Amino acid sequence: MQQLDLRANKLTALPEAISTFIKLHTLHLNANQLTSLPEWFSKLVQLHTLTLGANKLSGFPNIVRNLTGLKEFHIHQTALKTIPAWIRELKLLERLDIDQNLLTDLPDSVGELTKLLELDLENNKLANLPISLGQLSNLRELKLDENPLNTDLAAAYEQGTEATLQYLRAKAEAQVILNEAKLILIGEGEVGKSCLLGALRRDEWVEGRPTTHGIEIKPVIVTDPDSGTEITLNGWDFGGQRVYRPTHQLFFSAPAVYLVVWKPREGPQQGFVKEWITLIKNREPEAKVLVVATHGGPGQRQPDIDRQEILDRFGKDTVIDFFHVDSKPNQDMTDCTGLAELKEAIARIAASLPEMGRSVPAKWQQVRETLQTSDKAYLPYDDVIAICAKQGIDEEQAELFLRISHTGFILNLWMSINFQNKLF
């Protein structure tokens, strides 16, 4: 007996007679009701293909540790939460299928399976991968679909297996922690978005501030009241003119705090509050929104908005809270009405974003900072490669950096510059 297929039965145990099949090299046990493997299973030393998916195993079966000749192992759809570090001992593995489980991380030892050709991790709960996987030089197919991957890893994965491995190799170098995200202010024209952004930044008050055309990006520093972590928010102030509206959503992304700004004296209908929230929701279903009424100084009309209707329509997971602020400082120029509460809410949401505190290769961050200081509408490819080279990034890794960053920071940076210069 060399091959035995027992898939899709109702087996709760295996007959010990199978232990006598010492030349067995392929054993299919998928879609049964096995809760464990017997001790005699270790006698099947010539097994090179084993499928255990869709059983009722309570965990990764330790007896498999003795099957050091395995080349193909499938253990999908078994509610696994962890992979043991000893998996490194299955040194001949070429195909490992662990999809449709509950994994939140992988042990570094998976990176020691240097003969792996295929690794299937689809439908788990992985946000990151161990950098040791970058050592898998023979890996030809890595499957990560239906995982909550962090932004950079997801962007690398979109480029394919090799790009993902390059990204992990880059992460093996020095890292920096980024506590930053977007703060996006949207709303109709002349509702006070620019004044609000200035107040959040503690800029000097400007009477009769001119209307924003295009996009202005300015940093806002907040502190998470729970952890004390300082967070840098890149405040995006969008011009409210309708001609710009089709381009707004190009810059929307989930790891951001959204402020939908409206002016009470004109009413929520004129402020198109629900329309703006809909625009955000259509683009980024997981977005977090704060609805902010401005021009709320003494004697001004109070906000008149049906909060419950908005919450019923969009949900409390989307519309987090409502605020009423006056961006103009009080008479002694020390504070703005409602601003402190708004800033604290912004900090709390920012601290909870999945991308907060992520690590990125230090060299990449240095390139990002260099690009951010550029006042050019666009940069030729060779110029960017030269900037990367100055940071010790070779062309192959530079191309990866550009491909990943194109979905996020650099795309938004260059598009905003071009937008303001009316070049696209």
Side-chain angles (χ1 to χ4, degrees), residues 6-13 29-34 55:
L6 296 174
R7 284 177 289 191
N9 285 286
K10 297 182 179 180
L11 298 175
T12 58
L29 297 172
N30 286 354
N32 280 287
Q33 298 179 22
L34 300 173
N55 275 284

Side-chain angles (χ1 to χ4, degrees), residues 6-25:
L6 296 174
R7 284 177 289 191
N9 285 286
K10 297 182 179 180
L11 298 175
T12 58
L14 297 174
E16 189 169 355
I18 295 178
S19 66
T20 63
F21 303 158
I22 57 174
K23 292 189 177 182
L24 198 65
H25 62 68

Side-chain angles (χ1 to χ4, degrees), residues 146-166:
E146 304 301 324
N147 277 284
L149 304 176
N150 72 66
T151 302
D152 291 341
L153 178 56
Y157 179 60
E158 286 182 3
Q159 304 299 324
T161 296
E162 183 55 34
T164 305
L165 297 180
Q166 287 181 18

Side-chain angles (χ1 to χ4, degrees), residues 35-322:
T35 58
S36 62
L37 295 179
E39 288 297 320
W40 55 256
F41 210 84
S42 61
K43 296 179 180 180
L44 304 178
V45 293
Q46 294 197 38
L47 268 186
H48 64 63
T49 298
L50 175 62
T51 64
L52 284 174
N55 275 284
K56 297 184 178 181
L57 300 171
S58 57
F60 206 96
N62 284 326
I63 201 68
V64 174
R65 186 174 189 173
N66 299 315
L67 306 179
T68 55
L70 275 183
K71 293 184 177 181
E72 187 170 341
F73 184 34
H74 299 258
I75 190 168
H76 57 277
Q77 200 177 343
T78 52
L80 291 177
K81 295 182 178 180
T82 59
I83 301 297
W86 57 252
I87 198 169
R88 62 163 62 91
E89 297 174 26
L90 305 182
K91 296 184 180 300
L92 299 183
L93 271 183
E94 296 177 356
R95 292 172 177 81
L96 179 58
D97 175 6
I98 326 178
D99 76 297
Q100 299 184 67
N101 280 289
L102 302 174
L103 301 177
T104 56
D105 55 38
L106 295 178
D108 289 336
S109 55
V110 174
E112 298 178 39
L113 301 175
T114 56
K115 292 187 179 296
L116 270 185
L117 301 173
E118 299 177 13
L119 177 57
D120 189 346
L121 298 168
E122 291 182 325
N123 289 283
N124 277 281
K125 299 181 181 298
L126 298 168
N128 299 287
L129 294 178
I131 59 176
S132 62
L133 265 62
Q135 306 171 47
L136 300 179
S137 57
N138 291 313
L139 195 64
R140 296 294 176 264
E141 186 172 17
L142 174 62
K143 296 181 180 180
L144 293 171
D145 295 301
E146 304 301 324
N147 277 284
L149 304 176
N150 72 66
T151 302
D152 291 341
L153 178 56
Y157 179 60
E158 286 182 3
Q159 304 299 324
T161 296
E162 183 55 34
T164 305
L165 297 180
Q166 287 181 18
Y167 167 73
L168 294 173
R169 292 172 198 137
K171 288 205 68 176
E173 301 176 0
Q175 301 290 296
V176 294
I177 301 298
L178 293 184
N179 289 306
E180 66 177 43
K182 284 183 181 178
L183 174 66
I184 297 179
L185 294 83
I186 57 175
E188 296 299 294
E190 300 183 359
V191 296
K193 298 187 296 296
S194 299
C195 292
L196 177 57
L197 180 58
L200 291 169
R201 287 169 40 82
R202 294 189 175 276
D203 290 344
E204 183 178 350
W205 172 256
V206 177
E207 196 70 47
R209 186 188 295 267
T211 299
T212 300
H213 290 277
I215 303 171
E216 291 185 358
I217 306 173
K218 298 178 180 178
V220 177
I221 307 299
V222 297
T223 301
D224 177 19
D226 297 323
S227 67
T229 300
E230 186 176 276
I231 299 170
T232 299
L233 297 171
N234 297 310
W236 291 61
D237 176 13
F238 288 83
Q241 298 87 343
R242 286 189 171 272
V243 67
Y244 299 133
R245 192 167 303 179
T247 62
H248 285 160
Q249 57 188 317
L250 297 174
F251 302 93
F252 292 175
S253 57
V257 184
Y258 291 82
L259 304 187
V260 174
V261 184
W262 65 288
K263 187 158 54 175
R265 69 181 68 167
E266 296 179 356
Q269 294 303 321
Q270 290 300 109
F272 294 95
V273 171
K274 288 181 285 189
E275 288 79 1
W276 281 109
I277 299 175
T278 299
L279 185 65
I280 297 169
K281 188 83 171 175
N282 288 342
R283 181 70 174 183
E284 292 295 342
E286 303 300 319
K288 307 298 181 185
V289 177
L290 298 174
V291 179
V292 183
T294 58
H295 297 76
Q300 298 292 340
R301 177 182 173 187
Q302 293 300 305
D304 181 17
I305 191 169
D306 191 335
R307 299 187 178 193
Q308 193 58 52
E309 179 193 4
I310 289 177
L311 291 174
D312 290 344
R313 179 170 176 177
F314 299 104
K316 294 181 179 180
D317 290 336
T318 295
V319 180
I320 307 302
D321 209 345
F322 300 81

